[in-house]
Amino acid sequence: MSSTPPRALTIAGTDSGGGAGMHADCRTFFSCGVHATTAVTAVTVQNSLGVTGFTEIPPEVVAAQIRAVVTDIGVGAAKTGMLASAGIISAIAGACDEVGIGRGREIPFVVDPVSASMHGDQLLHDDALDGLRGELFPRASLVTPNLDEVRLLTGIEVTSRAGMLDAAKAMYELGPQWVLIKGGHLASDPDCMDLLYDGADVVELPGPRFDTRHTHGGGDTLASAITSALAKGADMPEAVAFGKRFVVRAVEAAYPLGGGVGPVSNFWRLSADPI
Ligand SMILES: Nc1ncnc2c1ncn2[C@@H]1O[C@H](COP(=O)(O)OP(=O)(O)OP(=O)(O)O)[C@@H](O)[C@H]1O
Ligand SMILES: Cc1ncc(CO)c(N)n1
């Protein structure tokens, strides 16, 4: 019998195409040697061409999944992805307080403020933005917005690396302990620089920009790799540096799928040996 591995929790939506969302999270946890536990928020109808619909899980069922996992199995860190509605966000905030998930509590909490798929299909109702800002960000150890989410949440349009620092400061004012601004959408930048900020220090996380359109699930993969490292006891700068190294390799190994946009590879660490 082996000893129990580190565990992490993803609170997120499913992607029937298997590229992003909870599927990307679970594969990333697995690749990092972390047992994946899940609280499903929504079931999306999705493939490489986009999202054509989703069904939400009742908020009390989302909260019950969190309680069931944390009180029995225990987790070293938790993350959120697609949350869909204000009601689900409130239920998550309440459950997190009950079981000790959040900044200053036992279980670090990574909040990825997913608002839309990379095709632009909405994954969060407009009236849920206040819930994210008011109920989740103040509980977050880390928030990981992309530049579209920065605009939605703060009104700031980032067009340069200097603008990323303004965005980090504005996001920090919304209450999280740490902010990671992702630079993947800054097309004018020949590299992919992310920025980590804790209200005082700025850490630049440089990375190459690969010439590929197959980046579906990149944000989920980054946040899950960070969560895996936190579940193993890393501090935030270490965890984020690991997450960036992991996602760079994942984008490099991205693969085409279907007729649209393929996913980053969450299993680049595994060999491609025949059966
Ligand atoms: N073409 C690329 N080459 C290398 N790294 C990239 C590329 N695009 C994005 N990244 C990196 O991948 C991570 C995710 O960034 P991005 O800004 O794309 O997030 P996102 O929009 O939330 O992702 P998603 O595609 O899941 O919605 C960041 O570390 C970013 O720097
Ligand atoms: C379920 C789900 N979560 C997150 C994303 C964004 O990557 C997506 N496309 N689908």
Side-chain angles (χ1 to χ4, degrees):
M1 192 171 63
S2 303
S3 57
T4 307
R7 283 90 56 213
L9 168 65
T10 168
I11 306 166
T14 66
D15 168 2
S16 48
M22 179 164 283
H23 304 275
D25 296 344
C26 290
R27 278 197 304 269
T28 303
F29 290 168
F30 166 72
S31 285
C32 295
V34 171
H35 175 94
T37 65
T38 60
V40 185
T41 56
V43 175
T44 73
V45 180
Q46 187 170 176
N47 59 21
S48 72
L49 302 171
V51 182
T52 51
F54 63 81
T55 296
E56 294 166 32
I57 303 300
E60 62 276 16
V61 179
V62 177
Q65 293 174 84
I66 296 169
R67 274 190 228 103
V69 165
V70 180
T71 58
D72 173 45
I73 294 167
V75 296
K79 77 165 284 271
T80 64
M82 173 188 180
L83 301 181
S85 77
I88 290 176
I89 288 172
S90 288
I92 291 169
C96 286
D97 287 352
E98 281 175 46
V99 301
I101 294 174
R103 64 175 295 183
R105 316 285 299 274
E106 309 87 87
I107 305 171
F109 191 30
V110 176
V111 174
D112 185 7
V114 172
S115 61
S117 78
M118 65 182 307
H119 297 92
D121 306 307
Q122 206 167 344
L123 299 174
L124 184 76
H125 300 307
D126 291 335
D127 64 0
L129 284 177
D130 283 341
L132 269 188
R133 282 186 288 245
E135 297 195 80
L136 283 200
F137 292 171
R139 289 175 167 83
S141 311
L142 174 72
V143 293
T144 64
N146 65 26
L147 298 186
D148 294 319
E149 290 152 359
V150 163
R151 184 170 24 79
L152 213 53
L153 290 158
T154 69
I156 294 177
E157 186 90 45
V158 176
T159 54
S160 66
R161 281 193 186 175
M164 286 174 69
L165 182 55
D166 296 334
K169 289 179 175 167
M171 286 296 303
Y172 182 78
E173 290 306 313
L174 298 173
Q177 196 175 350
W178 297 82
V179 177
L180 179 67
I181 305 289
K182 298 179 286 191
H185 297 203
L186 194 59
S188 58
D189 192 333
D191 300 319
C192 271
M193 167 85 93
D194 302 340
L195 210 68
L196 179 65
Y197 181 66
D198 69 349
D201 295 320
V202 181
V203 181
E204 292 186 346
L205 295 131
R209 179 179 294 277
F210 297 113
D211 184 16
T212 176
R213 67 189 183 114
H214 302 305
T215 59
H216 185 46
D220 314 83
T221 299
L222 173 63
S224 305
I226 294 169
T227 306
S228 296
L230 292 172
K232 294 176 175 179
D235 65 26
M236 192 58 78
E238 280 171 343
V240 170
F242 169 76
K244 179 70 176 176
R245 288 197 301 275
F246 188 96
V247 79
V248 165
R249 299 291 296 274
V251 179
E252 189 178 27
Y255 48 93
L257 197 70
V261 177
V264 306
S265 168
N266 313 118
F267 39 83
W268 59 265
R269 282 179 152 182
L270 304 180
S271 77
D273 286 348
I275 294 170

